[in-house]
Amino acid sequence: MTLSPPRPATPALDEPRSTGSRVELRGIVKEFTGGARALDGIDLVIEPGELVALLGPSGCGKTTALRVLAGLESATDGTVLIDGSDVSGLPARSRDIGMVFQSYSLFPHMTALANVEFGLRMRRVPADERRLRAGDALEMVGLGGFGGRYAHELSGGQQQRVALARALVTEPRVLLLDEPLSALDARVRVQLRDEIRRIQQEFGITTVFVTHDQEEALAAADRVAVMRSGQIEQIGAPDEIYSRAATPFVAEFVGSSNRMRGSVSGGTVQLGTVRLPLIDATQPDGEVVAFVRPEDIRLSRASDCASGTASAGVVPAEVVSTSFLGSYRRTTVALEDGTVLTVQHPANLVPVADERVVLEFDGAPVAVSRWE
Amino acid sequence: MSARDTAGTEAVSRRDVSGVHPGPSTATRWVIVAVIGLLFLVPIASMLEFTLRGGLAGGYTLDRWAAVFGGGLTGEYKPIVTGLTNSLLLAVVTVAVMLVLLVPTMVLVRIRFPKLQRVLEFVCLLPITIPAIVLVVGLAPVYSVVARMFGSGVWTLAFAYGVIVLPYAYRSIQANLQAVDVVTLSEAARSLGAGWATILFRIVVPNIRRGLLAAAFIAVAVVLGEYTIAALLNRVNLQTALVVVSKADPYIAVIIALLALVFAFVLLVAIGRIGGGPGSRRRRTAPPAAPAAPTTPLAPATGAAEPTTQEAALR
């Protein structure tokens, strides 16, 4: 980005920096009138410059957690710390936090430039500097020539870019993104997601990104916190969350999983003729449901298999249906005991309904839960 | 297939495709407009005709209209000037009372106490269900207190008028408030460092300008037409003055009533015209062409002659 002429004593928006703050949520509880508990003792530490995604289904409390952090909701109990200072009692306007909302939240009666200038105006930045910095921020999000436009003259993606510029121009300590991409179409969503990540890394700004879209969370975040019923079920790096789900809920919510009945003994689980390692090897022995990823099962035609019949680690099955999904294919198969599984395999293998196939398990560790 | 058959098929398919009946025909619409128009116009035309009558001599004359516009409202007609002045003063104070009390309350309820929405609506719509005479019975003892606190000036009537314009003002503002996502806008402003006063005056009010103007104009129209409360509380306004004058000269009273009607009509037309403001005029025009795009990761350098390429890349 080409910058405007030098300005007095204000850092350029495109200079790489590390201004991130450390954010801590300690035992946050939020109860709404009527006793509904949206947050049930959330503990979360976000390191400076880190992007953490809060991922979960609707009603799990992720947006409430973000709003408590922003100061738009007060916590019933617990403490919010930014760089070690308790900000729990501070109103939203004093927390120095930038926020992008799910619905386009541009002020309709202001131009894009005036929208971006608003936060600076609240901080009594002189008019010349304000215009310069707002212009830079718009350029940063690729909307340098759109400053004179009103919200209704911008597309959804452009409006969210302006909202992002508006949130960043004040150089906040923390950036909060409340499902900023959910109202956009798929192509723009991916484009803007990557752009958010680029800007976040360039600024080194501590960011919390709320989403119910696992792909968004896994692609953009340094760490993902999976939430359920007001609690964090698991927090970890995206590949850890995906491949080493700590709970059945995480295994089912992140990605897709096949549920297979089996029995645990000695830190492994027996699923029919197949024995697989456990993610949590301390599981007590007994009947369980195991969660096996579709991509951890290999599918081949029965005719291509050496024996063509059941043997250790190989399970015969019959094709129920198959779906083409671009670079890969998902096929639903039925085992001889009636268990229905979904298998992911290369698109060039095209099984047909009722065809005999064999399945081989990769041996990836699986999550299990007690059989109820 | 005949042309008639084709037309019939087209009409049916129009309904089928849209799923919505196309509505009454143009002729039906004109008939409806004509019937309703006559309901309004016949009394007004009759009033106009009455003011032009030549009295016992017969025929028609413009003398009375000339007298009104030639500064003839003196002497026995002076109460009209007093009443009109009082009514205009009352209109201004009533609008001020309504704006100062109702707008912040509605915004606060909308943003912070949404559960009180129904209660506020009930309270605001209540005056429309209470007959004026009942209101006055309740207001009479209240006004003895008001007179002790603020004196007995005619402007104090604005407190009562503030109550009777509530239903109309509430509806106008509420319709506009519902069309704007005030909650998210206020939260965005708060996160950017704005306090409540800034949110009210810089964010909310500009976005409900149309509703506020409509509320203000309707309040003016209601105040100019109010008679019962003023008469029963022994205050002089335009309507009570017209009644007094009509006993001496019914022609002049009807002329003034006609002028008040025209004024109210102009106000209501202005609601639709001025209320749109520059924002809505902009909306009706095509967006301005995008200027030349800078080179950014998302917007590859394009010439000034190709602004739509950048727009397409960013949408």
Side-chain angles (χ1 to χ4, degrees), chain A residues 172-192:
Chain A
R173 293 194 287 178
V174 184
L175 176 65
L176 306 181
L177 307 168
D178 185 7
E179 306 209 33
L181 311 176
S182 59
L184 307 177
D185 64 57
R187 190 173 137 267
V188 178
R189 196 157 57 216
V190 172
Q191 201 180 31
L192 190 50

Side-chain angles (χ1 to χ4, degrees), chain A residues 67 109 123 145 149 161 188, chain B residues 187 192 202 288 291 298 315:
Chain A
R67 291 171 62 81
H109 61 295
R123 286 160 177 76
R149 292 201 178 184
R161 283 166 194 277
V188 178
Chain B
E187 286 179 350
L192 291 165
R202 287 201 180 170
L298 283 163
R315 277 172 197 272

Side-chain angles (χ1 to χ4, degrees), chain A residues 1 24 32 42 54-55 58 64 66 75 95 98 159 161 185 220 250 256 278 333 356:
Chain A
M1 183 195 325
E24 263 184 273
F32 288 108
I42 295 276
L54 299 182
L55 174 67
S58 297
T64 307
L66 196 80
R95 291 197 182 189
Q159 288 189 50
R161 283 166 194 277
D185 64 57
V250 175
S256 56
L278 294 174
V333 297
R356 300 291 303 173

